[in-house]
Amino acid sequence: MDKKHIAIDLGAESGRVIVGDVGSIEVVHRFPNQPVKVGKSLFWDVLSLFEEIKKGLRQAFARYNRPGEIASVGVDTW
């Protein structure tokens, strides 16, 4: 059994939670990244992104739940 690795990718327009190993990857959750306006500026909605990341992690761990199957979690932001 190959160890699975979770990648959280946050881009300007969307985010996703991906599970992969040496031979394959699977997007387990995809979600929009919709900015919020504060005054005259736009900001990432950090609380919404955090909730979506937790939702994706729950889905990943539900799908790959054997002990020791998931070896790491990494985050990449744009």
Side-chain angles (χ1 to χ4, degrees):
M1 167 182 73
D2 287 330
K3 295 283 187 177
K4 303 291 184 188
H5 304 276
I6 298 174
I8 300 165
D9 176 36
L10 299 175
E13 295 182 5
S14 67
R16 57 192 177 159
V17 177
I18 305 159
V19 177
D21 59 28
V22 173
S24 65
I25 63 169
E26 173 188 3
V27 176
V28 295
H29 184 58
R30 183 180 294 272
F31 51 93
N33 183 357
Q34 297 177 333
V36 292
K37 190 170 186 175
V38 178
K40 295 181 181 180
S41 300
L42 291 175
F43 295 91
W44 279 13
D45 186 349
V46 177
L47 296 177
S48 174
L49 292 173
F50 185 55
E51 288 302 316
E52 292 293 340
I53 289 168
K54 291 190 303 183
K55 187 185 300 183
L57 287 172
R58 282 192 293 273
Q59 291 173 8
F61 277 95
R63 189 167 297 164
Y64 301 99
N65 62 358
R66 291 189 293 263
E69 186 170 15
I70 295 178
S72 67
V73 177
V75 179
D76 174 54
T77 63
W78 176 80

